[in-house]
Amino acid sequence: MKFDTETPLYIALKNMNYEELEELAKEIRNYIFTVVYNNNGHLASNLGVVELTIALYRVFDPFEDIVIWDTSHQSYVHKLLTGRWKDFKNIRKKDGISGYTNIHESQADRFGAGHAGTSIAAALGYAIADKIKGVNRNIVSIIGDGALGCGMALESLNQLSYQGAKIKIILNDNNMAISKNVGSLSTLLNNFRVKKEYTEVKKVIKDTLEEHHQVGKDFENLLRRVRDSLKYSLYNSPAAFFEDMGIKYYGPVDGHNIKKLEEFLSFVKDYKENSVLLHVVTKKGKGFEETEAYPTKFHGVSKSNAEKLSYSKVVGYTLAHLKNYQFVVFTGAMAEGTGLDILQNVDNNKVIDMGITEASIVTTAAAVSLGGKILPIVDVYSTFMQRAFDSLIHDVALQEIPVLFLLDRAGLVGEDGPTHHGVFDISYTRLIPNVEIWTPLDAQDLANMVYTSIIKGINKPRFIRFPRDGEKVDIKEILDKLQIVDNEWKYLKKQKESNVYVLAVGTLSKNVYEALKTYDVNIIGVRSVKPLDIRIIKELKERAETILVYEEGSLKGGFNEEIFKIRNKNVYSYGIDDEFIPHASRKEQLEYCGLSIEKIRKNYEKIFNNNKVR
C-alpha cells in the first residue's frame, strides 16, 4: 500500500475504506515487527493494538482530544499514526524517539508513562482542568487488564463519579479470559445497548410515562430490575463492578475488527452522561504465528549478549538451587523478567505473583515474616520499588521486620530510558533506618549473598542491588562454589606506597579495575553501602590523600556522601548527576555518565597527569 508518510496517518485514516484499513494494519504490523525484532523494544503488546489504534483515531483526534496510553509500551502504533513514521526506525536508540509516550516529543503524547496504572488518574486531572477552564473535549484512557489492578488505577476509578468526570476508558483486555457462551450473550446485549435509538427510546418512555401516569415510574423500575438481573447473573461480566461506581460499561468487543470497534467507539464518544468504559478483547502478539503462541517471550525483544548469563538468571538459578529452604518470593507481574520463572519451573509454590501492586507486595511480605519461620523475598526492578517507598518505611523498617529485597536492574537500564533507570535506590534506601544495602561485585558474589541471606537468615531488612547486566559464567560452577559471605569491602588492588584510594560500588568495580589496574592506586570494591566497612573507613581517614568514588546511581544522596564526611577536599565522585539520563544503549549511557572503562581512565589522567605504573 502506498501512502504519504509526510501527512500524519491519523488524518488519512478517515478517507480510507475498510479494505484499505486492513491493508494498512498489515503494513504497520510488518513495520513494527521488522524494526523491533532487528533492534529491541516491546513487540507483542504493540502487535495486539494495531486495529484498536486505527479505529480509535478514526473516531477521536489525537491532537484535538486527550488520548492517554497507560504504561505506553504499547504506543508504537500511536506514534506511527501521529507523524513519527520515518523516525520510528530509530525508536529507543540514542537521539531517537522514545519507546514510551513523552510530552516533550509530540503534542499527541498527552502524558508521559512507563510505569503502569497512571492513565485514569491523568485523565481525571485533565477532566478537572477542563471543567475549571470551561473546555469541552473528549478525554480517553487506554489501559490494559493488568494495569487496571494497580492501586492507583482502582483509586482513580473510584473518584470519577464523585468528581463528576466524564472520561472514556478503553480496557484493552489481552488475557482472553472470557468464555465463549457468555461472550456471545454479552455481544448480543451490547449490540442492542449501543444503538442510539435504544437510549433515546428509553428516555422517551421514561419522560412520557412519568409525566402522565404513576405506571411510568413502575415501568421504569421494572426495566431497572430486569437490567440489574442481567447485569449480576446472566450477563456474568465486569459490568456490575464498573456500573456500581457510576461508570457505564460496554463490551466486550473484538479488538481486531476495525468496523465493529469504530461502531462502539463512536457510541462511546457520543455518550455524555458520565464516565464510560469500553471492554476490548485483543490478542497479544497478533499477526505472527510465533508471537501469538509465545506473547510473554516476545513482550520485549532485546539483542542481549547471548554469551552472558544475566544477573537476573543467576538469582533465579540460585533460588531454585535452594528450593528446599523456608522462603517464598514475591514478584509484581515480572516473574520472567526477574528470572523467577526458573524457580517456578522447579517449585511454582515458591513464587507469589501479586501483579502490579508493589506497595501491597512489600506490606504482605512484612506480615509473612511476622508469621514466623519463612523468609519473605521481594524480587522487583529497582525503578518499581520506588512505588512502595512508604511501605518500606512504615511497614518494614519502622518495625525492623526481616525482609530480603532483591533490586534487579539497579543502575542504568539502556533503551527503556529514564522511566526505568534504577538509579535512585541507593539514595532512597540509604536514608531509611534499620536497613542494610548490599552491593555484590560479580555474579558469584551475588549468588553468595542470596545464599547467605537464606541459609543464615537476616535480622533486619536487607537490600541486594544488581544491574541489568551479566557475565560469561557457568551457572553450575557458581552453584558449586556457593558459600557464606559477609559484607566487608574487598581490595581488588593494594598499593601500599600509594595514598590514592579508588572506591567502586558493586559490579561497577569491574570497569574501574580494568581502567585503573596499571596505575599507582588502591582499588576497593564496595560490597555494602550500609553499613560501611569500618576497618577501611578508618584506613581512609588515616592514609588517604585523594579518594575517587564510582557508583552506578544518583550522586545526590548516594554512597559518595559518606566519603565526603571523611574529607571535604581531594574527593572526586562519579555517578549519575542531577538529571534524567535519556534512552540509549547501556554502553552509551555509561559513557555519558563517565562510568565506562575509557572515561574512567581519562578522568583519572586529568587528575593525576598520567601517573602510571609501568
Side-chain angles (χ1 to χ4, degrees):
M1 179 180 180
K2 299 292 183 182
F3 54 86
D4 180 13
T5 56
E6 296 296 330
T7 302
L9 281 170
Y10 79 94
I11 296 175
L13 291 176
K14 295 178 174 60
N15 298 318
M16 294 182 183
N17 60 40
Y18 288 107
E19 185 177 342
E20 291 172 327
L21 292 173
E22 292 294 342
E23 187 70 21
L24 175 62
K26 290 180 183 177
E27 188 154 354
I28 287 174
R29 269 199 179 87
N30 287 329
Y31 189 27
I32 290 175
F33 185 91
T34 300
V35 170
V36 175
Y37 194 78
N38 291 315
N39 295 287
N40 67 75
H42 292 93
L43 183 57
S45 52
N46 282 288
L47 296 178
V49 297
V50 176
E51 290 83 5
L52 171 57
T53 312
I54 289 173
L56 184 71
Y57 291 156
R58 289 261 291 180
V59 175
F60 296 96
D61 186 313
F63 288 90
E64 296 296 327
D65 297 317
I66 302 296
V67 179
I68 302 172
W69 292 86
D70 199 280
T71 315
S72 79
H73 64 299
Q74 81 292 42
S75 64
Y76 293 6
V77 188
H78 156 79
K79 288 175 181 276
L80 292 174
L81 297 180
T82 54
R84 286 165 277 185
W85 185 278
K86 288 186 176 180
D87 293 331
F88 185 74
K89 62 182 180 295
N90 292 319
I91 192 169
R92 292 166 56 93
K93 293 182 179 179
K94 183 181 180 183
D95 300 324
I97 63 174
S98 171
Y100 302 91
T101 52
N102 185 328
I103 63 173
H104 304 296
E105 184 178 291
S106 169
Q107 291 182 355
D109 293 1
R110 296 292 191 165
F111 201 83
H115 293 191
T118 63
S119 65
I120 300 175
L124 175 58
Y126 268 107
I128 292 173
D130 282 1
K131 184 177 180 180
I132 293 171
K133 295 186 300 180
V135 174
N136 184 22
R137 55 185 170 177
N138 296 296
I139 301 174
V140 183
S141 159
I142 302 98
I143 186 168
D145 52 321
L148 192 65
C150 287
M152 183 185 292
L154 295 174
E155 290 167 6
S156 302
L157 281 175
N158 189 45
Q159 287 293 318
L160 294 181
S161 178
Y162 181 76
Q163 299 295 342
K166 298 178 181 180
I167 71 170
K168 326 291 184 184
I169 302 170
I170 312 302
L171 173 57
N172 174 32
D173 180 0
N174 55 29
N175 194 33
M176 304 297 286
I178 301 173
S179 66
K180 186 175 181 180
N181 290 335
V182 173
S184 299
L185 175 59
S186 297
T187 300
L188 178 64
L189 290 171
N190 280 281
N191 281 341
F192 176 58
R193 291 176 69 191
V194 298
K195 300 297 183 183
K196 291 183 180 179
E197 293 81 4
Y198 167 68
T199 54
E200 290 171 357
V201 168
K202 191 176 81 169
K203 187 175 187 301
V204 169
I205 291 173
K206 178 180 178 181
D207 291 347
T208 303
L209 292 180
E210 285 190 351
E211 181 180 351
H212 298 288
H213 302 286
Q214 175 62 33
V215 72
K217 294 181 180 179
D218 296 336
F219 184 69
E220 175 62 22
N221 289 335
L222 175 62
L223 287 178
R224 185 179 296 110
R225 286 197 296 272
V226 171
R227 181 200 66 193
D228 289 344
S229 295
L230 288 173
K231 184 171 72 174
Y232 287 103
S233 57
L234 291 176
Y235 200 44
N236 192 23
S237 79
F241 174 78
F242 296 108
E243 296 197 358
D244 283 350
M245 287 193 288
I247 302 167
K248 200 68 175 177
Y249 170 92
Y250 293 103
V253 59
D254 181 358
H256 302 294
N257 185 325
I258 296 175
K259 187 174 183 180
K260 183 63 67 175
L261 278 168
E262 189 176 344
E263 178 185 346
F264 273 75
L265 287 166
S266 295
F267 179 80
V268 164
K269 180 179 181 180
D270 292 339
Y271 184 83
K272 306 295 185 183
E273 291 183 30
N274 46 33
S275 291
V276 57
L277 181 142
L278 176 62
H279 185 171
V280 177
V281 178
T282 61
K283 178 75 173 176
K284 194 170 184 179
K286 177 74 173 177
F288 300 94
E289 184 177 344
E290 192 171 8
T291 55
E292 286 189 22
Y294 305 101
T296 302
K297 176 182 176 182
F298 290 98
H299 172 78
V301 175
S302 64
K303 297 300 178 182
S304 57
N305 189 333
E307 295 181 355
K308 283 187 174 183
L309 183 69
S310 73
Y311 291 132
S312 302
K313 289 185 177 180
V314 170
V315 167
Y317 281 116
T318 302
L319 292 172
H321 183 73
L322 300 171
K323 66 182 185 299
N324 293 326
Y325 289 87
Q326 292 294 306
F327 69 87
V328 64
V329 190
F330 291 87
T331 186
M334 296 298 295
E336 202 164 279
T338 55
L340 291 179
D341 57 322
I342 298 170
L343 175 59
Q344 284 179 320
N345 289 337
V346 298
D347 189 347
N348 190 49
N349 294 324
K350 285 285 188 182
V351 179
I352 299 176
D353 189 343
M354 290 179 58
I356 308 169
T357 60
E358 291 84 3
S360 294
I361 288 172
V362 171
T363 303
T364 301
V368 167
S369 183
L370 293 179
K373 297 186 178 180
I374 298 175
L375 173 65
I377 302 173
V378 177
D379 190 350
V380 298
Y381 292 0
S382 168
T383 184
F384 298 140
M385 185 57 76
Q386 294 165 187
R387 313 187 91 181
F389 185 62
D390 179 66
S391 298
L392 290 175
I393 296 175
H394 182 269
D395 300 334
V396 179
L398 183 62
Q399 303 183 87
E400 299 185 63
I401 299 176
V403 178
L404 178 62
F405 295 95
L406 303 179
L407 297 185
D408 199 332
R409 285 157 172 73
L412 298 163
V413 298
E415 292 83 359
D416 275 330
T419 58
H420 284 65
H421 288 320
V423 298
F424 303 113
D425 59 84
I426 289 179
S427 300
Y428 71 70
T429 55
R430 181 173 156 265
L431 58 81
I432 304 174
N434 301 328
V435 306
E436 297 177 343
I437 308 167
W438 289 23
T439 51
L441 304 185
D442 54 32
Q444 185 68 60
D445 205 21
L446 170 60
N448 287 343
M449 286 184 176
V450 173
Y451 175 79
T452 300
S453 300
I454 292 174
I455 300 301
K456 287 188 66 176
I458 58 179
N459 56 19
K460 62 173 62 176
R462 177 178 296 170
F463 297 87
I464 302 177
R465 76 183 302 265
F466 49 95
R468 186 181 190 178
D469 205 344
E471 297 175 26
K472 297 178 182 179
V473 292
D474 183 340
I475 190 60
K476 185 178 183 302
E477 288 184 10
I478 285 180
L479 298 178
D480 286 343
K481 294 178 181 177
L482 285 174
Q483 61 178 323
I484 299 296
V485 294
D486 54 30
N487 59 349
E488 291 181 357
W489 300 356
K490 180 180 179 181
Y491 269 97
L492 304 180
K493 179 186 178 185
K494 194 160 188 176
Q495 200 80 17
K496 291 184 179 180
E497 299 80 12
S498 176
N499 53 22
V500 177
Y501 285 78
V502 181
L503 308 180
V505 176
T507 60
L508 188 60
S509 60
K510 295 200 298 293
N511 276 12
V512 172
Y513 178 77
E514 191 61 33
L516 304 180
K517 63 185 178 182
T518 59
Y519 292 81
D520 186 14
V521 297
N522 295 286
I523 303 176
I524 298 169
V526 176
R527 300 176 60 248
S528 173
V529 168
K530 188 176 184 179
L532 303 175
D533 188 321
I534 302 303
R535 176 180 56 86
I536 292 182
I537 291 294
K538 183 174 182 292
E539 182 177 339
L540 292 175
K541 289 178 179 179
E542 294 173 350
R543 297 195 68 247
E545 290 188 7
T546 304
I547 305 174
L548 287 76
V549 184
Y550 293 88
E551 57 187 307
E552 195 176 334
S554 173
L555 290 173
K556 286 203 169 188
F559 167 73
N560 67 98
E561 292 187 353
E562 296 286 0
I563 305 306
F564 277 104
K565 292 177 184 178
I566 298 173
R567 57 188 309 135
N568 56 18
K569 63 179 182 179
N570 292 335
V571 175
Y572 301 85
S573 59
Y574 300 92
I576 314 303
D577 286 327
D578 189 19
E579 62 176 314
F580 292 108
I581 307 302
H583 62 270
S585 70
R586 180 170 152 76
K587 181 179 179 181
E588 290 168 330
Q589 289 167 346
L590 288 169
E591 179 81 9
Y592 177 84
C593 295
L595 302 176
S596 66
I597 294 172
E598 187 61 29
K599 278 293 184 72
I600 292 169
R601 185 180 294 123
K602 284 183 177 180
N603 286 331
Y604 176 87
E605 291 177 353
K606 283 181 183 178
I607 299 171
F608 295 101
N609 297 318
N610 301 312
N611 179 26
K612 188 175 182 181
V613 176
R614 300 295 180 183

